Amino acid sequence: MRREELASLIVYLLMIALAVIVGLTAVKDALSVCRPANMNPFLFVIITIVVGLLFNIIMLEVLHALGAKLGGYRVVSFNVLGFHFEKKEGKLSFKFKDFDGLTGETVIAPKKEKLSMKPYIWLPIFGFAAELAGCIVLYSSMMSNSASPVRWLGSCAILFIVLSSMIALYNLVPIKLDTMTDGYRFILLTKPANIEAINELLRAEDLERNGKEVNDMKVFDDITEFTAGLNLFSVYKNLGNKNFDEAEKILDITMKEPKKLEPYTYYRLISQKLYIVLSTKDPEEARKVYDELADDKIRRFIANDATMESIRAYILISGLLEKSEGEVNFAIGRKEKALKRTLKKRVEIENSLYTDALNKVYEVHPKWKENKENAADLD
C-alpha cells in the first residue's frame, strides 16, 4: 500500500469514528428531545443527512470556484458527485464524469500573470467556520427554547456540524492523500518554489485538455518534493522522445539535494537514471555508475519496488550487470500490476521503455527469450 493510500485510509477511519462518536452522544441526545412531531426519527435523520451533505458538498465547490476567480484563475469545470459542468470555447456543457476528490472537484487554470491560490484555499475554510458558528448558535437557541415549534432545527444543526466537520477533516488534513486537498495545498504554498510549480502544472494540464502540446515545461532548480514531481513531466517527455541526454540532465538537477526529497522519491529518480545509463553506456561505465549511485539499501528498494521505473531499471541491472535470468523473470512478472498503478498519461511511454529494456537484455541473452517463450507455451 502506498503512503498516500495509507494516509487516506487513516483519515477515512477518523471520519467514521467522528461520525459514530457524535452520533452516539450529541445527536442521540438531541433527537431524544427534539424532532418534528409525528415524524419517524430514522426518516428525519436520513433526510437531514442528505440535505446536509448536498449543502456542504455544493458549497465547498462553489467557494472553490469563487476563490479561484478572486485569485486570478479561470474555472474550467465544476463537478459535484459526478455531475460535471464544463465551459469550453464559451459554451457550458453537462455530463456525468468521475472526479478527483472526496465529493467533487473544481478544475482551474491560470488566467492572469499575477495569481494567488490563497482565496481558493481560504474561502472554503471561512465557509466551514461560518457554518460551524451558525449551527452552534442555532443549536443553543433551539435547545434553550422548549416551547418553540421548530425546536427540531437544533437536531438539524448538530447533524450539519457532524457532516461539515467530516468533510473539513478530509479537505484540511495537511498531508498528501490520494488526491490533492486544500490542507496539502496550504503546506505546499509555504515554499515559494511550489507556488510557481503549481501554476505551471495547472497551465500544462490545461494545454493537454485542449489537445495542445506541452513543449515548454519549466524545469525547477529549487527542489522540493512537489517540484521534483513536476520535473518528472519533462523527464517523461524526453524519455518518450528517446532524448536520453536531456532527460538525464533534468534527473541530475532533481537529484542534487536528496535530503529535500522523500527517500522513495529519490530512489525512483535513481532508477530512472540507471535505466538511462544502462540503456546508453557500455557495461563497464554503467557498472561504475551503478556502484556509485546504488548502495545496498537502494539496490533492495529497486529490486522490490512495484513501479514501472524501478522494474525496467531492475531488468537492465539483472540482465546486463548481474546476469540473472531468474531476477529478470521476477521483474517481468510484476509488470502488469505496476502498470495499473501508473499515471494514464505515462502508460504508453512506460510500455515502450519496458519493451526496450527487455529487448536489450534479450539481445545479450537470446536463450532467455526462448526459455520465456517456451514456458509461456507450456502455460
Side-chain angles (χ1 to χ4, degrees):
M1 182 179 288
R2 292 180 299 174
R3 170 186 270 182
E4 293 86 352
E5 293 171 339
L6 178 60
S8 298
L9 177 60
I10 292 172
V11 172
Y12 291 140
L13 291 174
L14 287 173
M15 290 168 64
I16 293 172
L18 172 66
V20 171
I21 291 170
V22 178
L24 293 175
T25 54
V27 174
K28 184 180 179 180
D29 292 342
L31 287 174
S32 67
V33 296
C34 65
R35 63 176 183 268
N38 302 321
M39 189 172 190
N40 183 284
F42 180 76
L43 181 61
F44 170 66
V45 170
I46 293 297
I47 292 173
T48 305
I49 287 175
V50 170
V51 173
L53 279 175
L54 289 175
F55 174 80
N56 280 282
I57 291 167
I58 292 171
M59 284 307 300
L60 175 64
E61 300 309 328
V62 166
L63 292 173
H64 271 149
L66 290 175
K69 286 182 173 294
L70 289 173
Y73 296 87
R74 172 171 52 87
V75 177
V76 176
S77 64
F78 182 90
N79 190 313
V80 173
L81 297 174
F83 292 82
H84 182 85
F85 299 87
E86 184 170 353
K87 194 171 185 180
K88 199 169 185 178
E89 296 178 355
K91 296 181 179 179
L92 185 66
S93 63
F94 166 78
K95 60 182 175 181
F96 293 102
K97 186 179 178 181
D98 291 338
F99 51 89
D100 182 20
L102 179 65
T103 56
E105 179 185 19
T106 300
V107 176
I108 62 177
K111 184 178 180 180
K112 302 176 181 178
E113 287 188 10
K114 292 184 177 180
L115 301 164
S116 174
M117 184 70 68
K118 290 180 180 180
Y120 181 88
I121 297 172
W122 279 104
L123 268 187
I125 295 175
F126 291 147
F128 166 68
E131 179 183 359
L132 185 62
C135 286
I136 290 173
V137 170
L138 179 62
Y139 174 75
S140 300
S141 61
M142 289 298 101
M143 291 299 101
S144 62
N145 187 1
S146 59
S148 174
V150 290
R151 194 177 181 219
W152 51 269
L153 286 175
S155 297
C156 292
I158 285 291
L159 286 169
F160 267 60
I161 289 173
V162 175
L163 296 169
S164 62
S165 297
M166 289 172 64
I167 294 174
L169 173 62
Y170 180 89
N171 190 49
L172 299 179
V173 64
I175 57 176
K176 188 177 182 181
L177 301 179
D178 49 5
T179 185
M180 187 179 287
T181 63
D182 286 341
Y184 183 57
R185 288 188 183 95
F186 182 82
I187 296 300
L188 287 177
L189 294 180
T190 60
K191 298 180 180 179
N194 289 337
I195 298 174
E196 185 179 359
I198 289 174
N199 291 325
E200 180 68 0
L201 177 61
L202 292 173
R203 184 188 71 83
E205 289 177 340
D206 191 51
L207 288 172
E208 288 182 341
R209 273 192 299 269
N210 291 286
K212 299 178 181 179
E213 285 289 324
V214 185
N215 294 318
D216 55 345
M217 197 82 168
K218 180 179 174 59
V219 175
F220 291 86
D221 296 314
D222 189 351
I223 300 301
T224 66
E225 184 71 16
F226 188 76
T227 58
L230 200 62
N231 281 355
L232 279 175
F233 280 84
S234 298
V235 169
Y236 272 96
K237 185 75 174 179
N238 284 289
L239 288 176
N241 294 327
K242 300 298 189 288
N243 188 355
F244 292 134
D245 288 341
E246 189 61 31
E248 188 174 8
K249 289 178 184 176
I250 299 170
L251 285 170
D252 288 339
I253 291 171
T254 311
M255 293 165 57
K256 66 183 180 180
E257 295 184 77
K259 291 182 179 179
K260 290 187 175 183
L261 301 172
E262 294 289 346
Y264 71 88
T265 300
Y266 179 64
Y267 297 162
R268 286 169 185 160
L269 290 172
I270 289 178
S271 292
Q272 301 273 28
K273 169 89 172 181
L274 290 174
Y275 176 87
I276 293 173
V277 170
L278 288 160
S279 296
T280 59
K281 312 294 184 185
D282 63 73
E284 186 177 338
E285 187 176 353
R287 166 66 73 177
K288 183 179 179 182
V289 174
Y290 177 61
D291 290 340
E292 289 176 353
L293 281 178
D295 58 22
D296 289 340
K297 181 186 287 187
I298 294 173
R299 293 182 189 193
R300 285 194 299 271
F301 177 88
I302 295 173
N304 294 297
D305 185 37
T307 62
M308 287 303 296
E309 54 262 50
S310 292
I311 286 172
R312 53 183 163 82
Y314 193 61
I315 285 174
L316 292 175
I317 292 167
S318 300
L320 304 181
L321 300 183
E322 306 301 336
K323 297 179 172 51
S324 172
E325 181 181 4
E327 291 304 305
V328 170
N329 289 333
F330 168 74
I332 291 172
R334 309 184 81 191
K335 182 234 181 177
E336 291 304 321
K337 182 178 180 180
L339 205 59
K340 290 178 182 178
R341 301 175 63 180
T342 302
L343 291 176
K344 291 181 180 180
K345 296 175 183 177
R346 295 175 182 171
V347 168
E348 184 178 348
I349 295 173
E350 283 292 3
N351 263 322
S352 176
L353 296 172
Y354 168 86
T355 301
D356 289 346
L358 205 54
N359 288 339
K360 189 173 182 66
V361 169
Y362 284 156
E363 285 176 10
V364 179
H365 306 286
K367 187 66 177 176
W368 293 4
K369 184 176 182 180
E370 291 178 21
N371 293 341
K372 188 68 177 173
E373 291 172 347
N374 292 335
D377 290 339
L378 290 175
D379 291 341

